[in-house]
Amino acid sequence: MERTLQGKAALVSGASRGIGLAIARRLAAGGARVALVARGAAPPEDMPGAIAIAADLRDGEACARAVAEAVERLGGLDILVHSAGATQRGDFLALDDAAWADGYALKLFGAVRLLRAAWPHLRAAQGNAVLIAGVGGRVASADFTIGGSVNAALMNLTKAMADRGVADGVRVNCVNPGSIRTDRLTGRIATLAKERGLDMAAAAAAIAAETGVARFGEPEEIAEIVAFLAGPGAGYIQGAILDADGGWVRAV
Ligand SMILES: NC(=O)c1ccc[n+]([C@@H]2O[C@H](COP(=O)([O-])OP(=O)(O)OC[C@H]3O[C@@H](n4cnc5c(N)ncnc54)[C@H](OP(=O)(O)O)[C@@H]3O)[C@@H](O)[C@H]2O)c1
């Protein structure tokens, strides 16, 4: 693999599993020194130079603390990737304020706080940030009101920070995954299976059919895109919102 990220320092949130872990692995394989941040972040044995920072990013101060620790231990920060997110699905009338506050605290305010803390370092390094949102921000659905609105907000935040980044020399881009094979998707399949009395395979097929895709994506496929956006080949890509959804979104 080409080591296009050699010498770069990267912080990846939500990196204890799923998409975030795949991103951390891919950035490390590209030569970056990576800080993996999550509540259950563990020191990865197979990622030389990587460090783990355990943090609950819903906590107002935790984002700044995680950035400060990453900067100190990695010696700077060139790349910020925010992949932590855990918004609750369900009937709108069954979602209380706590569910909304929780979803926003981690995914939207986490992005805001990580960007605010990381920005001076990204500016100093002329680096970049990639936010992981989701196609639910484009395609609204009645059972995804929290995640959908958070993702839409993240897309707007991407454009706003990219606007600022033009002056500061920081690129900011966004990736919208479709349905990607992680614990999060497995949980969703299990819920649907229970609701409709289906087995897991039939529930998975129902989700694929309803979203019009031939298959689910793999975390590594999202990681590949992030590595590109964070690397030198994407030097003129600013404020892009890239759907990686197997064709789910048909609208222009
Ligand atoms: N998978 C999909 O199909 C899909 C589709 C569209 C968008 N997305 C988005 O992509 C992102 C990653 O999804 P995923 O499927 O990889 O999810 P996942 O497998 O559930 O992983 C979520 C990550 O976020 C971390 N996290 C959760 N709560 C946290 C907290 N309070 N503080 C810090 N970290 C926390 C988790 O670590 P700990 O539990 O150890 O803290 C974990 O590393 C999310 O924003 C999700 O909405 C995913």
Side-chain angles (χ1 to χ4, degrees):
M1 178 173 300
E2 240 190 302
R3 291 175 72 82
T4 53
L5 302 173
Q6 190 68 43
K8 302 295 183 192
L11 184 159
V12 182
S13 77
S16 63
R17 60 177 183 274
I19 294 171
L21 179 59
I23 292 169
R25 285 193 189 289
R26 177 60 184 80
L27 298 187
R33 306 184 312 288
V34 182
L36 295 90
V37 182
R39 290 168 305 180
E45 285 162 17
D46 56 344
M47 289 169 60
I51 61 167
I53 300 173
D56 185 336
L57 298 175
R58 292 169 301 182
D59 165 1
E61 303 299 319
C63 293
R65 276 202 305 270
V67 168
E69 185 175 340
V71 167
E72 191 186 327
R73 293 175 64 189
L74 300 178
L77 193 66
D78 303 272
I79 298 163
L80 169 70
V81 181
H82 181 47
S83 186
T87 52
Q88 209 177 306
R89 279 180 181 273
D91 185 280
F92 174 71
L93 298 179
L95 294 168
D96 60 12
D97 279 359
W100 279 85
D102 197 65
Y104 270 71
L106 179 60
K107 198 163 177 180
L108 181 62
F109 294 136
V112 169
R113 291 167 177 150
L114 286 171
L115 278 166
R116 190 164 51 212
W119 198 263
H121 306 285
L122 298 178
R123 184 171 51 202
Q126 297 291 278
N128 68 83
V130 181
L131 305 180
I132 307 300
V135 292
R138 293 199 194 276
V139 184
S141 104
D143 77 336
F144 199 51
T145 48
I146 302 176
S149 58
V150 163
N151 289 336
L154 279 175
M155 284 189 251
N156 191 286
L157 182 67
T158 299
K159 290 286 186 188
M161 293 310 293
D163 181 27
R164 180 179 176 129
V166 170
D168 286 348
V170 179
R171 292 186 302 108
V172 184
N173 293 297
C174 173
V175 179
N176 279 335
S179 295
I180 309 300
R181 274 189 199 285
T182 67
D183 293 352
R184 189 171 164 73
L185 183 64
T186 305
R188 193 175 154 213
I189 295 168
T191 304
L192 192 77
K194 202 170 153 198
E195 276 171 16
R196 297 192 188 170
L198 301 170
D199 63 25
M200 288 290 281
I207 290 174
E210 280 161 24
T211 54
V213 298
R215 66 169 175 88
F216 297 139
E218 301 298 330
E220 292 72 23
E221 292 178 299
I222 303 301
E224 199 58 40
I225 295 163
V226 173
F228 168 68
L229 288 174
Y236 202 54
I237 299 186
Q238 175 68 297
I241 298 170
L242 208 158
D243 298 344
D245 65 353
W248 174 352
V249 175
R250 268 111 174 139
V252 173

